[in-house]
């Protein structure tokens, strides 16, 4: 028996909605060398950015050349939940966890060139000649410490000769310390370390000159009073060598975190002064030239200018700067993780905003083509049977 016209009409109306209600599963783009985001650098900043992108299934590649700023340090500190782990363990654990996310990839290598093709595309080349494209670039390339050539400093860097009191000060609290750096660095070093040690000698290595003193007085009029108040001895003779006598990586307390390094500082007149450890105020420079070559603005010719309220974006749209390399003057693991995360969120939201317009337009076109509405059906039925639709209902 043939269905009555009214049954036929009802059947037609149900069909299109069945089609509409089966969503297509999400897929990352299938172009093997094209990424949503390419991250340069695999320290805590780059890894944090990768994690934030992986969690929302952005296709991201991290390329890392492994020259970490804290490569030589014994233990990383002031990272809550991970206080005292080795930096290598910290990074390996992060890589292991991130590797479970299928849209995140990591490679060891060196990015040698980044070209902006247009507003939505960068072309990236690595030292092995591999080429990639991406919509956004995150520079997590870090900083490099400029270590003076005086014998013994480079050799003992990060293991008795340190950079930051938060990182390594507590292990050497109440021990006789040396401050290393030019005269202008001394007041800042004293203020950072004054709660940890009182026996301080500042080895200014010949920079206690009338010109340097006048320059420091101009910016810090009370510096001499500060030096006196904290009983800091200023040692101006040139350092010829810093020689290790004892290794605090071996001679250390099992209970209270104390590490007992011991050094002899030799001066140019043959004098030798013993110190347990040192805090240095050396310069640092960008580890990589990629930002500068891309046209990213450098603050004081040193840091990649990032807009913090706009999620670490630089003056080059689509390029983000995070971690030590960026310009908020904070250089530590928690900052690296925060700024990486911030850029990941901003990259994701920015790309979603860019995509929203075309997604809406595509959905509109799709509705017209196939995923038909009830109204579409009624209109085409009218066209098909002519104006005499009233007859159907009788
Ligand atoms: C001696 C010392 C001890 C420290 N201890 C602590 C501590 O205890 N706690 C703490 O919070 N902070 C500590 N810090 C600071 C900490 O190391 C940095 O803040 C942190 O490493 C910054 O992370 P980042 O990811 O920005 O840079 P990094 O960790 O330096 O990583 C940058 C990465 O980018 C890579 N890279 C650069 N250019 C390229 C390129 N062209 N292609 C591919 N890869 C590239 C580098 O090889 C490197 O692997 C210490 C620093 C020093 C010097
Ligand atoms: C990549 O570098 C990390 C250290 O940064 C190392 O642990 C790992 O083995 C390297 N991977 C390869 C494939 O060389
Ligand atoms: C940007 O360049 C890429 C690669 O050449 C191309 O696929 C894309 O269509 C371009 N986009 C725009 C907006 O021009
Ligand atoms: C000390 O000064 C000498 C000579 O200027 C210089 O070569 C050396 O790098 C300086 N060392 C330190 C620790 O500042
Ligand atoms: C510190 O050393 C420098 C370089 O040797 C010298 O020029 C300067 O006079 C010294 N300062 C003092 C106060 O002796
Ligand atoms: C930084 O970003 C904020 C928010 O988007 C914007 O209002 C501000 O103008 C930006 N600053 C600079 C210097 O571009």
């Amino acid at each position: 028996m043939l269905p009555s016209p009214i049954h036929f009409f009802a059947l037609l109306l149900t069909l299109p909605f069945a089609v509409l209600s089966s969503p297509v599963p999400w897929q990352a783009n299938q172009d093997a060398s094209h990424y949503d985001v390419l991250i340069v650098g695999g320290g805590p900043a780059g890894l944090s950015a990768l994690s934030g992108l992986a969690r929302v299934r952005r296709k991201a590649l991290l390329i890392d050349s492994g020259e970490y700023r804290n490569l030589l340090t014994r233990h990383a500190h002031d990272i809550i939940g991970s206080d005292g782990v080795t930096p290598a363990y910290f990074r390996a654990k992060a890589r292991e966890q991130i590797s479970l996310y299928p849209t995140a990839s990591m490679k060891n290598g060196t990015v040698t060139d980044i070209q902006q093709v247009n507003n939505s595309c960068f072309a990236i080349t690595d030292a092995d000649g591999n080429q990639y494209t991406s919509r956004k670039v995150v520079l997590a390339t870090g900083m490099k410490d400029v270590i003076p050539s005086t014998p013994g400093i480079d050799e003992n860097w990060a293991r008795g000769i340190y950079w930051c009191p938060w990182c390594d000060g507590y292990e050497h609290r109440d021990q006789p310390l040396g401050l290393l750096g030019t005269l202008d660095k001394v007041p800042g070093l004293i203020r950072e370390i004054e709660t940890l040690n009182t026996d301080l000698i500042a080895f200014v290595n010949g920079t206690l000159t009338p010109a340097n003193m006048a320059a420091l007085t101009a910016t810090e009029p009370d510096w001499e009073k500060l030096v006196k108040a904290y009983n800091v001895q200023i040692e101006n003779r040139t350092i010829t060598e810093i020689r290790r006598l004892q290794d605090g990586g071996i001679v250390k307390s099992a209970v209270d975190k104390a590490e007992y390094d011991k050094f002899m500082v030799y001066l140019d007149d043959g004098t030798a002064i013993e110190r347990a450890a040192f805090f240095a105020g050396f310069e640092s420079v960008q580890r990589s030239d990629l930002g500068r070559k891309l046209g990213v603005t450098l603050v004081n010719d040193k840091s990649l200018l990032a807009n913090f309220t706009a999620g670490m974006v630089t003056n080059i749209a689509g390029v983000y700067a995070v971690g030590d390399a960026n310009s908020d003057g904070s250089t530590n693991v928690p900052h690296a993780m925060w700024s990486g995360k911030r850029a990941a969120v901003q990259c994701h939201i920015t790309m979603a905003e860019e995509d929203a317009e075309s997604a809406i337009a595509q959905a509109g076109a799709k509705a017209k083509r196939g995923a038909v509405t009830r109204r579409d059906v009624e209109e085409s039925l009218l066209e098909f049977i002519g104006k005499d639709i009233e007859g159907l209902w009788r």
Side-chain angles (χ1 to χ4, degrees):
M1 194 180 86
L2 281 169
S4 74
I6 193 129
H7 283 128
F8 176 66
F9 185 39
L11 185 71
L12 262 178
L13 279 178
T14 61
L15 272 174
F17 296 101
V19 173
L20 253 187
S21 65
S22 60
V24 180
W26 177 89
Q27 259 199 325
N29 90 66
Q30 298 298 296
D31 179 346
S33 64
H34 183 67
Y35 294 87
D36 291 325
V37 184
L38 192 125
I39 300 162
V40 192
L47 289 165
S48 172
L50 185 62
S51 169
L53 290 160
R55 289 285 307 163
V56 288
R57 296 203 293 187
R58 286 291 179 187
K59 190 177 166 191
L61 172 65
L62 180 153
I63 301 179
D64 181 31
S65 56
E67 297 174 284
Y68 310 108
R69 190 167 186 189
N70 60 3
L71 184 73
L72 298 170
T73 205
R74 290 170 182 145
H75 300 106
H77 294 104
D78 203 11
I79 306 163
I80 56 167
S82 296
D83 190 48
V85 302
T86 68
Y89 173 86
F90 183 81
R91 289 185 296 263
K93 190 79 191 160
R95 284 197 301 268
E96 179 197 318
Q97 292 177 341
I98 293 169
S99 67
L100 300 177
Y101 295 92
T103 61
S105 327
M106 290 167 265
K107 267 191 116 165
N108 292 351
T110 303
V111 172
T112 50
D113 189 52
I114 304 177
Q115 297 288 331
Q116 183 155 31
V117 180
N118 58 38
N119 282 344
S120 53
C121 185
F122 294 87
I124 298 102
T125 311
D126 72 15
D128 300 323
N130 300 309
Q131 293 192 311
Y132 312 93
T133 55
S134 69
R135 293 175 63 178
K136 309 287 173 201
V137 166
V138 174
L139 296 174
T141 41
M143 297 294 282
K144 182 166 69 176
D145 296 288
V146 182
I147 313 287
S149 58
T150 305
I153 298 188
D154 192 37
E155 293 84 338
N156 295 302
W157 180 243
R159 294 153 188 239
I161 302 180
Y162 300 110
W163 165 76
C164 98
W166 288 270
C167 309
D168 301 289
Y170 190 78
E171 283 63 34
H172 299 277
R173 63 198 183 278
D174 299 325
Q175 298 177 2
L177 281 194
L179 307 178
L180 295 174
T182 46
L183 180 67
D184 57 303
K185 299 293 196 301
V186 171
L189 284 167
I190 294 173
R191 279 190 290 264
E192 284 193 351
I193 211 84
E194 57 115 342
T195 53
L196 291 167
N197 302 76
T198 52
D199 177 357
L200 301 175
I201 300 176
F203 295 91
V204 298
N205 194 40
T207 61
L208 189 69
T209 63
N212 288 344
M213 289 165 77
L216 182 53
T217 303
T219 56
E220 183 125 19
D222 285 338
W223 72 269
E224 283 181 281
K225 288 180 194 156
L226 178 81
V227 166
K228 278 212 180 70
Y230 287 102
N231 198 27
V232 179
Q233 183 189 331
I234 296 204
E235 177 50 72
N236 184 46
R237 284 170 289 188
T238 302
I239 308 165
T240 53
E241 186 187 351
I242 298 182
R243 196 180 301 166
R244 182 184 289 283
L245 305 177
Q246 184 168 290
D247 188 344
I250 298 165
V251 186
K252 59 185 178 183
S253 163
V255 290
D256 68 1
K257 284 178 172 279
E259 294 173 10
Y260 300 100
D261 293 277
K262 205 187 286 177
F263 295 92
M264 198 63 95
V265 182
Y266 292 94
L267 304 171
D268 60 359
D269 63 356
T271 306
I273 300 173
E274 197 182 293
R275 296 278 95 182
F278 303 86
F279 283 85
F282 300 149
E283 296 301 330
S284 57
V285 295
Q286 289 285 320
R287 170 78 65 188
S288 159
D289 217 22
L290 289 171
R292 188 193 299 269
K293 287 197 287 190
L294 265 166
V296 174
T297 302
L298 285 145
V299 179
N300 297 328
D301 202 33
K302 181 176 169 180
S303 314
L304 302 175
L305 179 63
N307 186 334
F308 312 120
T309 49
M312 307 298 152
V313 74
T314 66
N315 55 305
I316 307 295
V319 177
Y320 298 74
V322 300
D324 281 13
N326 88 4
S327 56
D328 62 356
S330 181
T331 49
N332 52 69
V333 172
H335 163 266
M337 292 197 286
W338 166 74
S339 56
K341 160 70 179 167
R342 189 80 179 78
V345 171
Q346 193 67 41
C347 279
H348 177 61
I349 297 299
T350 302
M351 286 186 287
E353 283 168 356
E354 289 166 359
D355 290 344
E357 220 170 292
S358 69
I360 290 166
Q362 266 175 30
K366 196 171 153 199
K368 273 236 159 67
R369 270 202 320 274
V372 188
T373 64
R374 183 181 288 263
R375 194 190 162 83
D376 289 336
V377 175
E378 286 173 352
E379 278 174 1
S380 49
L381 264 178
L382 270 176
E383 245 168 67
F384 175 63
I385 58 176
K387 288 193 185 92
D388 194 18
I389 192 165
E390 296 302 315
L392 263 178
W393 305 106
R394 270 186 235 119

